[in-house]
């Protein structure tokens, strides 16, 4: 009886694993690698979006020089929808160059996320590792 219960529990856990991974979203507040911008991720439409809630004076000045003023309140991550467990895709707005690119967010663990944006069809890509702060 004990083996049967353990097998059933393991089967239930494995069956639930994809649903857990797919529902995992980068909700909360995240900081960029330089810790110069904090972004709050929340549900929006069928996916998630990330909006700047705090920025350093230098980040604000860099964004303002390219026409983004104010930086706080700007949505940097737009319409991100799940692609596979732990992977989301959408658009990334880069305020210090004033352009929007296609991008992905990959959750590495509960406190680490890698964001990647590409200029065109997977070319000219850059990535950043973000850390959850709340």
């Amino acid at each position: 009886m004990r083996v049967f219960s353990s097998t059933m529990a393991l089967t239930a856990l494995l069956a639930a694993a994809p649903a857990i991974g797919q529902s995992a979203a980068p909700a909360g507040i995240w900081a960029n690698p330089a810790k110069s911008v904090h972004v709050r991720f929340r549900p929006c439409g069928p996916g998630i979006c990330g909006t700047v809630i705090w920025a350093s004076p230098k980040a604000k000045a860099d964004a303002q020089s390219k026409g983004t003023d104010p930086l706080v309140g700007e949505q940097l991550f737009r319409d991100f929808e799940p692609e596979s467990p732990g992977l989301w895709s959408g658009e990334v707005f880069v305020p210090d160059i004033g352009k929007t690119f296609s991008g992905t967010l990959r959750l590495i663990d509960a406190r680490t996320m890698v964001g990647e944006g590409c200029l065109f069809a997977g070319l000219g890509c850059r990535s950043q590792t973000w850390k959850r702060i709340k």
Side-chain angles (χ1 to χ4, degrees):
M1 182 70 171
R2 188 166 182 71
V3 172
F4 180 72
S5 297
S6 297
T7 303
M8 288 203 40
L10 180 59
T11 302
L13 180 62
L14 291 174
I20 292 168
Q22 288 172 343
S23 66
I29 300 172
W30 296 76
N32 67 344
K35 297 179 177 59
S36 61
V37 174
H38 294 175
V39 172
R40 179 187 312 271
F41 285 88
R42 290 185 168 162
C44 70
I48 55 169
C49 296
T51 303
V52 177
I53 60 167
W54 177 86
S56 70
K58 181 178 180 340
K60 290 178 186 177
D62 289 347
Q64 186 177 27
S65 73
K66 295 299 181 180
T68 303
D69 187 33
L71 178 57
V72 174
E74 184 68 43
Q75 195 175 78
L76 301 186
F77 297 90
R78 302 171 179 171
D79 303 318
F80 273 75
E81 295 187 17
E83 292 293 320
S84 62
L87 179 67
W88 295 69
S89 64
E91 293 186 337
V92 180
F93 175 65
V94 182
D96 53 348
I97 61 174
K99 297 197 182 282
T100 302
F101 304 100
S102 63
T104 60
L105 294 172
R106 181 177 302 278
L107 291 174
I108 305 303
D109 57 42
R111 305 205 66 78
T112 310
M113 168 175 69
V114 174
E116 181 177 74
C118 299
L119 294 173
F120 179 74
L123 301 174
C125 300
R126 294 190 64 193
S127 65
Q128 289 186 329
T129 300
W130 291 65
K131 293 292 184 177
R132 184 187 306 268
I133 57 175
K134 203 169 194 187

